[in-house]
C-alpha cells in the first residue's frame, strides 16, 4: 500500500447487521457479502463468533461463512471474544479474527461482561491459538473518545491499551468512536497520544456517524499516517450494547471523499452503490407514521 492508497475495512455484515432487530435470513447476508467481494474490498468483516445469547442476529456465522463465494483477493474476518469463539471461527475457516476491548470499564462490562484487565487476560489464549494457526489478529478498542456511562475517555488510556494489544501480537488496532460523538479536535487529541505509542500505519479509524462527523474525523486522521478506516455500505449498523450508537460511516461516502482527495481505495464505485442499496434493503423498514404516544414538542 502506498501513502496515497487507503484501505476501507468493510464492516456491514458484522457491525452493520448485529444490531438489526429483525432476524435477517442467512441467504441475504451471503448475498450482501458476495456483492461486497465484487466491489473490491480487501477486508470484509463477515460475522462474529460471540455468544448467540448476546447477539442472536449473528448466530448463523458458520452458515454464512460456509455459503459465501470466497475470493482469494479478500480476507474474510470475524470477531472473537474468547476461546469458544476462536474454535468456531477456526472451524469456519476465517482468514483473520478481531479481538475487542474497550477503553471504558462500563462498556467492557456491558459488552463482554468483564473488566478491561480481565478481557486482556481472556485474549491471551486466543492470541496464542491464532499464532499457532497463523491467523492474523486485529485489535479493536471501543469508546476511544467518550463513553455515555464513564464520560470522556483519557487518550492516554487508549494509547496504552493500543500499545499493549500490539505487544500481544495484533497486526493493527482499530480505534472505535462507538457512539459517534467525536469531532476532529477530539480525534486529534486522541491521535496525538496514540501515534506516540503505536505508529499511525498500524492504526485504523472506526468512526460511527451518529453526530455526522465521521468523514471529518477521517480527514483529521490522515495527517497521522492512518491509512485504514472501518465503514459499512449504506451506513448500516450500531452496537447492541451501546444504545444510541448509529451506523458506521457509509463506505460509499468514504470511498467518494477519498478518491476526490486523490487517494486510491481499489473500490468499484458502481458495484459499491449496488451493495449499498442491497444493504439498505435489509434494514428494518422505517415507521410510516409516528408512534401513537408521540407528541409534538
Ligand atoms: P458471558 O455470559 O459472561 O460468558 O458472556 P459465559 O462464558 O458465561 O457464556 C455464556 C453462554 O454463552 C454459555 O452458554 C457459553 O457456552 C456461551 P450456556 O452454557 O449458557 O448455554 N458462549 C458462547 N457461545 C458461542 N460462541 C461464543 C461463546 N462464548 C460463550 N464465543 C461473552 C461473555 C464475551 C461471551 C459475551 O459477553 C459476548 O458474546 N459478548 C459479545 C457482545 C458483542 O458481540 N458486541 C458487539 C461487538 S463489539 C462492537 O460492536 C464494537 C466495535 O464495532 C468497535 C466500536 O464500534 O467501538 C468492534
Ligand atoms: Mg462499531
Amino acid at each position: 500500500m502506498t501513502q496515497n492508497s487507503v484501505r476501507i475495512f468493510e464492516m456491514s455484515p458484522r457491525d452493520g447487521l448485529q444490531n438489526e432487530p429483525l432476524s435477517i435470513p442467512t441467504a441475504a447476508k451471503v448475498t450482501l457479502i458476495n456483492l461486497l467481494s465484487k466491489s473490491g474490498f480487501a477486508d470484509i468483516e463477515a460475522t462474529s463468533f460471540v455468544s448467540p445469547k448476546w447477539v442472536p442476529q449473528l448466530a448463523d456465522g458458520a452458515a454464512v461463512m460456509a455459503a459465501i463465494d470466497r475470493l482469494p483477493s479478500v480476507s474474510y474476518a470475524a470477531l472473537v471474544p474468547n476461546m469458544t469463539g476462536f474454535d468456531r471461527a477456526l472451524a469456519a475457516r476465517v482468514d483473520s479474527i478481531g479481538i475487542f476491548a474497550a477503553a471504558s470499564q462500563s462498556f467492557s462490562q456491558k459488552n463482554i461482561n468483564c473488566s478491561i484487565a480481565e478481557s486482556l487476560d481472556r485474549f491471551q489464549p486466543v492470541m496464542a491459538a491464532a499464532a499457532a494457526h497463523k491467523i492474523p489478529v486485529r485489535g479493536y478498542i471501543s469508546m476511544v473518545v467518550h463513553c455515555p456511562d464513564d464520560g470522556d475517555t483519557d487518550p492516554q488510556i487508549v494509547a496504552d491499551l493500543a500499545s499493549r494489544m500490539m505487544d500481544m501480537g495484533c497486526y493493527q488496532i482499530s480505534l472505535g468512536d462507538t457512539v459517534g460523538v467525536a469531532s476532529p479536535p477530539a480525534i486529534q487529541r486522541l491521535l496525538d497520544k496514540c501515534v506516540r505509542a503505536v505508529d499511525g500505519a498500524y492504526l485504523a479509524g472506526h468512526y460511527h456517524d451518529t453526530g455526522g462527523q465521521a468523514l471529518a474525523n477521517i480527514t483529521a486522521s490522515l495527517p497521522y499516517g492512518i491509512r485504514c478506516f472501518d465503514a459499512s455500505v449504506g451506513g448500516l449498523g450500531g452496537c447492541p450494547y451501546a444504545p444510541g450508537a448509529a451506523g458506521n460511516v457509509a463506505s460509499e461516502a468514504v470511498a467518494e471523499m477519498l478518491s476526490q482527495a486523490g487517494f486510491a481505495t481499489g473500490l468499484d464505485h458502481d458495484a459499491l452503490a449496488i451493495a449499498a442499496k442491497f444493504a439498505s434493503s435489509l434494514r428494518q423498514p422505517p415507521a410510516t407514521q409516528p408512534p401513537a404516544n408521540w407528541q409534538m414538542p
Side-chain angles (χ1 to χ4, degrees):
M1 215 168 65
T2 67
Q3 263 300 95
N4 264 359
S5 65
V6 172
R7 190 173 271 232
I8 300 180
F9 203 121
E10 177 59 28
M11 291 279 131
S12 59
R14 195 280 302 171
D15 208 354
L17 296 183
Q18 68 184 8
N19 207 32
E20 282 300 309
L22 299 180
S23 171
I24 295 167
T26 303
K29 296 172 184 171
V30 170
T31 301
L32 173 63
I33 294 170
N34 288 344
L35 287 170
L36 295 167
S37 297
K38 287 184 193 150
S39 304
F41 288 105
D43 301 277
I44 299 174
E45 197 153 88
T47 188
S48 66
F49 292 100
V50 302
S51 169
K53 289 180 183 149
W54 285 62
V55 182
Q57 182 65 262
L58 301 185
D60 61 353
V64 168
M65 286 300 299
I68 55 176
D69 297 329
R70 290 173 79 141
L71 297 188
S73 54
V74 182
S75 169
Y76 297 93
L79 284 189
V80 159
N82 53 18
M83 278 308 292
T84 308
F86 180 81
D87 291 340
R88 291 176 61 213
L90 188 66
R93 297 190 307 110
V94 300
D95 295 307
S96 73
I97 60 166
I99 56 169
F100 49 111
S104 98
Q105 290 292 359
S106 296
F107 185 67
S108 186
Q109 288 292 348
K110 273 187 184 166
N111 196 42
I112 49 176
N113 207 20
C114 64
S115 69
I116 299 169
E118 284 164 343
S119 75
L120 296 180
D121 288 345
R122 201 182 272 175
F123 297 145
Q124 293 286 7
V126 174
M127 297 303 301
H133 290 276
K134 296 192 169 43
I135 297 178
V137 185
R138 193 174 200 234
Y140 288 87
I141 304 176
S142 287
M143 304 291 179
V144 294
V145 168
H146 181 84
C147 168
D149 295 309
D150 293 1
D152 287 344
T153 305
D154 178 353
Q156 193 59 50
I157 291 179
V158 183
D160 292 345
L161 199 48
S163 173
R164 180 91 189 271
M165 292 170 84
M166 285 298 287
D167 289 346
M168 286 168 69
C170 292
Y171 74 86
Q172 184 181 62
I173 305 298
S174 170
L175 301 171
D177 176 22
T178 317
V179 282
V181 294
S183 56
I187 291 293
Q188 283 160 349
R189 280 193 296 277
L190 170 73
L191 296 180
D192 282 342
K193 292 279 189 224
C194 285
V195 295
R196 277 187 222 156
V198 175
D199 191 291
Y202 299 105
L203 297 172
H206 179 107
Y207 305 138
H208 285 257
D209 202 24
T210 322
Q213 293 288 304
L215 289 177
N217 292 337
I218 289 173
T219 302
S221 306
L222 291 167
Y224 291 88
I226 299 184
R227 292 291 180 273
C228 180
F229 297 97
D230 300 355
S232 284
V233 286
L236 225 59
C239 176
Y241 297 103
N248 296 107
V249 60
S251 310
E252 60 277 18
V254 180
E256 186 60 37
M257 182 190 80
L258 289 171
S259 74
Q260 283 186 23
F263 291 96
T265 62
L267 293 169
D268 172 337
H269 290 214
D270 293 336
L272 205 52
I274 294 169
K277 201 167 175 189
F278 182 77
S280 301
S281 78
L282 300 180
R283 279 208 157 121
Q284 188 187 25
T288 49
Q289 52 188 24
N293 59 355
W294 194 85
Q295 287 181 349
M296 191 66 77

